[in-house]
Amino acid sequence: DTAVSQTPKYLVTQMGNDKSIKCEQNLGHDTMYWYKQDSKKFLKIMFSYNNKELIINETVPNRFSPKSPDKAHLNLHINSLELGDSAVYFCASSLASGGHNEQFFGPGTRLTVL
Amino acid sequence: DAKTTQPPSMDCAEGRAANLPCNHSTISGNEYVYWYRQIHSQGPQYIIHGLKNNETNEMASLIITEDRKSSTLILPHATLRDTAVYYCIVRASSNTGKLIFGQGTTLQVKP
């Protein structure tokens, strides 16, 4: 039973399109995250939600909008896709935001913008 | 959170211990050392964390120097499946959970 799952695994789309990536965790965790790993393999946090409340919002363009309908889901919607958005996006979850809670990562969604 | 420095790459023979160093000379008293790894094409995976005492779990051991300015992750009997990028991260327990990943060390375990 997958702990953190993401859909789709691969996403190929044209510039200017709008797309969404979904994430679900079945661990009963309160906190969820989105990370972006670029072509140089740098892994950087984008957003974090704790109990459906946004707690981390790094310097990310407004075109990226996370949505957490409930504690088990954190979706990422991207408007007007650009070439530079091509990357692997990882969702993660942890029991809570503070403390020493390990983060469990999903398998990633590889987004390619043509 | 304090910055960390790791060698970009290391090799290790299968079955031998892999010792991965990390420098964190600006670490604060309330900051912990965490290790994660990322096997090719997978999401990062938590390995271990510690404050000042040495820690061991089923995956690895973490040795932190007395001055806490550096640490070493030890994989006691490396296997080919341990080939991955290993990230040393320093963070305070009070922060929002944000993990700041550096470049990490690419460990290649060779037969």
Side-chain angles (χ1 to χ4, degrees):
Chain A
D1 218 14
T2 307
V4 182
S5 59
Q6 296 179 227
T7 52
K9 188 165 174 61
Y10 298 98
L11 185 53
V12 180
T13 188
Q14 300 286 335
M15 263 195 326
N17 283 351
D18 303 338
K19 290 292 177 188
S20 291
I21 306 172
K22 297 188 176 189
C23 177
E24 177 181 0
Q25 53 95 2
N26 63 5
L27 298 167
H29 288 170
D30 280 353
T31 308
M32 296 184 73
Y33 312 81
W34 277 111
Y35 287 83
K36 177 183 179 180
Q37 188 165 40
D38 62 24
S39 57
K40 293 185 178 163
K41 305 292 187 185
F42 281 111
L43 194 57
K44 191 165 186 230
I45 190 160
M46 300 172 70
F47 302 103
S48 174
Y49 272 74
N50 186 59
N51 270 322
K52 301 195 297 173
E53 183 185 337
L54 182 66
I55 57 170
I56 295 176
N57 186 351
E58 293 293 294
T59 317
V60 178
N62 291 343
R63 300 181 294 102
F64 289 78
S65 53
K67 282 192 173 47
S68 182
D70 55 57
K71 282 195 327 182
H73 296 86
L74 180 62
N75 304 323
L76 183 65
H77 188 77
I78 316 170
N79 287 328
S80 303
L81 278 154
E82 300 178 356
L83 294 176
D85 298 331
S86 295
V88 181
Y89 293 84
F90 289 100
C91 176
S93 74
S94 63
L95 195 59
S97 56
H100 303 293
N101 301 288
E102 70 176 276
Q103 291 184 22
F104 293 80
F105 285 78
T109 295
R110 182 175 293 277
L111 171 66
T112 303
V113 182
L114 303 175
Chain B
D1 295 323
K3 197 172 165 144
T4 62
T5 305
Q6 300 176 251
S9 63
M10 292 182 65
D11 288 345
C12 177
E14 191 178 17
R16 305 298 292 265
N19 298 304
L20 293 98
C22 179
N23 281 323
H24 30 78
S25 57
T26 59
I27 193 169
S28 302
N30 68 338
E31 288 180 319
Y32 285 66
V33 180
Y34 288 76
W35 284 83
Y36 279 74
R37 74 179 182 183
Q38 186 175 22
I39 295 170
H40 182 61
S41 297
Q42 296 182 22
Q45 176 191 24
Y46 166 83
I47 301 173
I48 199 168
H49 75 274
L51 180 64
K52 54 184 177 183
N53 297 322
N54 297 339
E55 301 288 345
T56 294
N57 63 19
E58 64 279 1
M59 286 182 73
S61 295
L62 174 60
I63 308 296
I64 302 174
T65 57
E66 197 168 334
D67 64 8
R68 304 209 320 123
K69 292 184 188 296
S70 65
S71 59
T72 302
L73 179 75
I74 301 172
L75 308 178
H77 306 287
T79 70
L80 298 179
R81 285 175 298 195
D82 292 321
T83 292
V85 180
Y86 288 77
Y87 297 98
C88 169
I89 300 166
V90 167
R91 65 172 277 254
S93 64
S94 57
N95 92 358
T96 51
K98 179 166 76 174
L99 294 176
I100 299 175
F101 288 84
Q103 285 192 298
T105 296
T106 299
L107 175 69
Q108 183 75 46
V109 180
K110 300 188 171 180

